[in-house]
Amino acid sequence: MHAARRVLEAALPEPPAFVDLDAGFELFQRTGVALPDETVQELKSRCSCALFGAVSSPSHKVAGYSSPIVALRKRMDLFANVRPVASPAGGSGRPIDMLIIRENTECLYVKSERIETDPVTGERTAWADRKISERASRRIARIAFDMAIQRGKLRAAADSSVPQLHPKPKVTVVHKSNVLSVTDGLFRESALAVYNDPLLGFKDAVVLEEQLVDSMVYRMFREPHAFDVAVAPNLYGDIISDGAAALVGSLGVVASANVGDSFVIGEPVHGSAPDIAGKGVANPVAAIRSAALMLEYLGDAHTAARIYAAVDRVLASQPNALTPDLGGSGTTQSVTEAVLRGL
């Protein structure tokens, strides 16, 4: 977050004001609260946007604790998680330029779980309820089609001498409705209804395809260049976007934005890494790109493009200077300084 803050201060014509707010498991251990009401109220009343850093969550059940970012997405109605996965401009190999759009408020992440104990045998059975609504599915599908069209316009305005991966915008609807015919079936039906609505005009502007989530993973690793925009329910979007990060070198370079109608939170896709905490070798690129993505959704595409370009130059031209997750010997600070020089 410190690296992202420095880049924002350098890139923007007027340095922004920052407010540091608390959330996370360490806070929960001290206070019994992972996401204080004060944090949410400060975001709503004082902030135009936010950056969310990597916080740890325990891998086992802890009474009273739940993920602060999941709660924050719900309380701020940040219904779309937008995750670009792209190889650096000017890099070697066939380019990858995917945008994974994950529904952010439903699916298994409603965290409705319970354990039932058989009164005779004493054996326990765990249950989890899954929520897929028509409203949320239509809303996320519409954003996916809108963003595909916007990406198409940006490509059309770019250098026409460069061959385009996707001559026409394409959206891949990811589901498993061959098995989960009710929940995933509703997600699929809702997305197709948005696509086929003549008043919205998507059918003439966007190519639509469907992909079962398991074959999506297979195809994504075999031919990632085949995908433009992919839209998925919450759990599938989480899994495929983390997997897609392997295609571009590291979770340390993949950004995301939690987007609602009136607020945006930039958030690196990676989680915490306790094994390297305090060593100064964590990759700052995901956080820096998340800050740029946040600016993009605030309408400052110019500054965002400058930051993206500076990051791409560092990734493409200085492989030995990158952080260890990308095979280099650089540090968090040295990579940040290289991006700042690029700006």
Side-chain angles (χ1 to χ4, degrees):
M1 287 297 102
H2 181 65
R5 177 172 177 161
R6 290 185 64 198
V7 169
L8 286 174
E9 289 171 333
L12 290 166
E14 294 184 11
F18 291 92
V19 179
D20 293 323
L21 302 172
D22 290 326
F25 186 59
E26 290 181 2
L27 180 71
F28 175 82
Q29 291 176 305
R30 295 197 309 269
T31 68
V33 178
L35 180 65
D37 289 338
E38 294 81 4
T39 292
V40 178
Q41 291 307 314
E42 286 281 289
L43 288 174
K44 290 182 175 180
S45 62
R46 294 185 61 192
C47 303
S48 56
C49 55
L51 289 169
F52 190 91
V55 297
S56 294
S57 284
S59 58
H60 58 280
K61 180 177 175 58
V62 175
Y65 175 81
S66 61
S67 167
I69 187 59
V70 172
L72 197 56
R73 290 166 181 163
K74 293 176 183 175
R75 294 184 65 176
M76 301 293 291
D77 196 26
L78 305 173
F79 54 86
N81 190 260
V82 180
R83 297 184 169 188
V85 179
S87 50
S92 59
R94 192 164 185 180
I96 298 168
D97 185 15
M98 298 174 58
L99 183 67
I100 298 170
I101 299 178
R102 164 190 174 193
E103 201 289 317
N104 222 13
T105 63
E106 294 189 337
C107 196
L108 288 169
Y109 289 69
V110 296
K111 291 183 68 64
S112 175
E113 299 179 286
R114 64 191 184 279
I115 288 183
E116 296 179 356
T117 303
D118 188 297
V120 178
T121 66
E123 290 185 346
R124 297 182 300 162
T125 300
W127 294 85
D129 297 318
R130 186 179 191 231
K131 177 186 175 184
I132 299 287
S133 72
E134 186 175 24
R135 175 179 177 270
S137 300
R138 290 179 66 95
R139 185 165 64 168
I140 201 69
R142 183 164 182 167
I143 281 185
F145 293 125
D146 280 333
M147 290 185 178
I149 291 172
Q150 181 62 29
R151 279 162 61 86
K153 290 178 179 177
L154 292 174
R155 290 194 292 262
D159 186 352
S160 59
S161 65
V162 178
Q164 296 294 338
L165 274 177
H166 312 292
K168 187 174 181 179
K170 181 170 69 172
V171 171
T172 303
V173 179
V174 182
H175 57 79
K176 189 67 176 174
S177 62
N178 60 327
V179 175
L180 300 170
S181 57
V182 176
T183 49
D184 274 23
L186 181 59
F187 182 84
R188 174 186 179 272
E189 292 166 15
S190 301
L192 267 58
V194 170
Y195 180 71
N196 290 314
D197 188 334
L199 297 178
L200 298 175
F202 293 133
K203 198 166 186 178
D204 294 331
V206 179
V207 175
L208 175 73
E209 69 174 20
E210 300 179 50
Q211 198 76 53
L212 297 177
V213 64
D214 45 352
S215 58
M216 171 72 190
V217 173
Y218 177 78
R219 273 195 73 198
M220 188 176 69
F221 282 101
R222 293 274 296 184
E223 45 178 336
H225 49 271
F227 295 102
D228 183 9
V229 175
V231 60
N234 205 336
L235 178 63
Y236 302 158
D238 193 2
I239 292 170
I240 63 177
S241 58
D242 277 19
L247 300 168
V248 292
S250 169
L251 273 171
V253 301
V254 181
S256 79
N258 300 281
V259 179
D261 289 329
S262 58
F263 204 82
V264 58
I265 294 180
E267 177 200 4
V269 169
H270 62 72
S272 62
D275 58 320
I276 60 170
K279 297 181 179 180
V281 295
N283 194 335
V285 167
I288 293 170
R289 281 180 164 170
S290 295
L293 192 59
M294 179 186 73
L295 293 181
E296 190 176 339
Y297 284 95
L298 290 174
D300 190 355
H302 174 72
T303 304
R306 289 183 58 227
I307 296 173
Y308 294 145
V311 169
D312 281 351
R313 283 192 292 271
V314 172
L315 292 176
S317 63
Q318 304 178 44
N320 292 330
L322 302 178
T323 44
D325 59 307
L326 292 173
S329 56
T331 65
T332 310
Q333 182 173 345
S334 67
V335 172
T336 305
E337 295 293 346
V339 173
L340 290 170
R341 286 194 299 272
L343 283 171

